[in-house]
């Protein structure tokens, strides 16, 4: 898996593919991310963070998101969800939300994509936000957020 990421990086660096080619950059990120599961849990997050920042970090600026194709946004949403899973950090959930908002503005967000964001909110125990989000999107096939007292 690491080799595949290195090959894609080599192609990007050599000009064989545009640096703006999100699909190739996403594949490089996923190649590295899929290889970390053999590592101890504590070593996974820094490797995934580095790969995310290296291959895709610049793609999440406001201008880049606005100019991204619909297909690129779908890949960027998956990558942001993967990063949020590994980091368990609010900043990564916010990145996921920014991509979802662009998809919403374009009328392309699906309930499955909304459920990714909902799951990230629940994972970070942002339960009030998760409840409010679920209330705005009742057609999502997700469980009710439990009440915590």
């Amino acid at each position: 898996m690491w080799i595949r990421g290195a090959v894609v990086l080599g192609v990007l660096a050599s000009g064989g593919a545009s640096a703006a080619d999100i699909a190739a950059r996403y594949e490089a990120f996923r190649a590295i991310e899929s290889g970390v599961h053999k590592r101890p849990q504590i070593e996974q997050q820094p490797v995934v963070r580095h790969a995310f920042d290296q291959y895709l970090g610049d793609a999440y600026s406001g201008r880049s998101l606005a100019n991204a194709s619909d297909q690129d946004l779908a890949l960027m949403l998956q990558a942001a969800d993967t990063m949020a899973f590994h980091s368990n950090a609010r900043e990564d959930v916010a990145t996921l939300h920014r991509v979802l908002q662009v998809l919403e503005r374009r009328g392309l967000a699906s309930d499955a994509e909304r459920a990714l964001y909902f799951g990230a909110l629940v994972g970070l125990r942002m339960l009030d936000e998760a409840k409010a989000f679920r209330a705005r999107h009742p057609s999502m096939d997700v469980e009710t957020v439990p009440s915590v007292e």
Side-chain angles (χ1 to χ4, degrees):
M1 297 297 176
W2 287 86
I3 294 170
R4 192 169 91 196
V7 169
V8 173
L9 176 60
V11 169
L12 290 173
S14 69
S18 168
D21 184 359
I22 296 297
R25 294 165 66 182
Y26 173 78
E27 285 302 317
F29 166 70
R30 288 291 296 151
I32 291 171
E33 187 273 334
S34 65
V36 301
H37 300 290
K38 297 174 186 169
R39 293 172 170 250
Q41 184 78 25
I42 196 163
E43 294 178 13
Q44 292 179 16
Q45 191 276 337
V47 171
V48 175
R49 164 64 61 208
H50 179 74
F52 182 84
D53 291 346
Q54 179 180 4
Y55 293 112
L56 293 165
D58 64 308
Y60 291 89
S61 71
R63 179 173 289 175
S64 294
L65 283 174
N67 294 329
S69 72
D70 298 344
Q71 296 82 6
D72 288 349
L73 286 172
L75 293 174
M76 293 167 68
L77 186 81
Q78 290 298 320
D81 179 58
T82 299
M83 189 64 246
F85 170 80
H86 281 282
S87 73
N88 212 19
R90 287 178 183 255
E91 69 186 53
D92 292 315
V93 174
T95 299
L96 176 62
H97 191 223
R98 284 195 309 277
V99 179
L100 183 61
Q101 287 175 317
V102 175
L103 288 168
E104 292 282 7
R105 281 193 295 273
R106 293 183 185 183
L108 300 172
S110 69
D111 280 340
E113 290 166 329
R114 290 180 189 104
L116 293 176
Y117 177 63
F118 175 82
L121 290 171
V122 171
L124 275 176
R125 307 296 187 258
M126 298 171 68
L127 301 181
D128 290 338
E129 293 90 337
K131 286 178 186 177
F133 187 75
R134 187 176 191 284
R136 288 192 305 274
H137 303 284
S139 62
M140 280 190 308
D141 186 21
V142 294
E143 294 190 26
T144 303
V145 178
S147 295
V148 178
E149 296 181 24

